[in-house]
Amino acid sequence: MRQFRAMKYNEVDQTVTVGAGAFLRDVCSFAQLYGRAFRTTPGYGKITIGGAIGTGAHGSSVRHSSSMSSQVV
């Protein structure tokens, strides 16, 4: 079950790969170490990435698509 929270950075394509059980706030902190970030995020950081994508969680932006699922490769 620990792998559901695993995080790794791929330098070649500059992406962060995370397990569905990783908390948004932890993923944001990890991504920041590599100069990466989401364009928008929900205000509540203790939601899991899987939960955020599955429920359509979103931040707010007039410039960018604000849903978490639109920022996933």
Side-chain angles (χ1 to χ4, degrees):
M1 298 299 280
R2 290 183 182 152
Q3 294 305 314
F4 287 121
R5 292 189 180 164
M7 292 180 260
K8 67 179 181 178
Y9 179 70
N10 183 325
E11 290 187 37
V12 174
D13 60 7
Q14 298 183 347
T15 58
V16 176
T17 301
V18 302
F23 289 114
L24 176 60
R25 67 178 179 199
D26 296 334
V27 174
C28 290
S29 295
F30 180 79
Q32 187 177 17
L33 296 172
Y34 300 97
R36 313 305 318 159
F38 290 105
R39 287 185 172 173
T40 62
T41 60
Y44 182 64
K46 204 159 180 183
I47 188 172
T48 63
I49 293 296
I53 293 168
T55 61
H58 58 85
S60 61
S61 174
V62 294
R63 289 187 172 178
H64 307 288
S65 179
S66 60
S67 71
M68 292 295 297
S69 60
S70 68
Q71 301 177 66
V72 176
V73 177

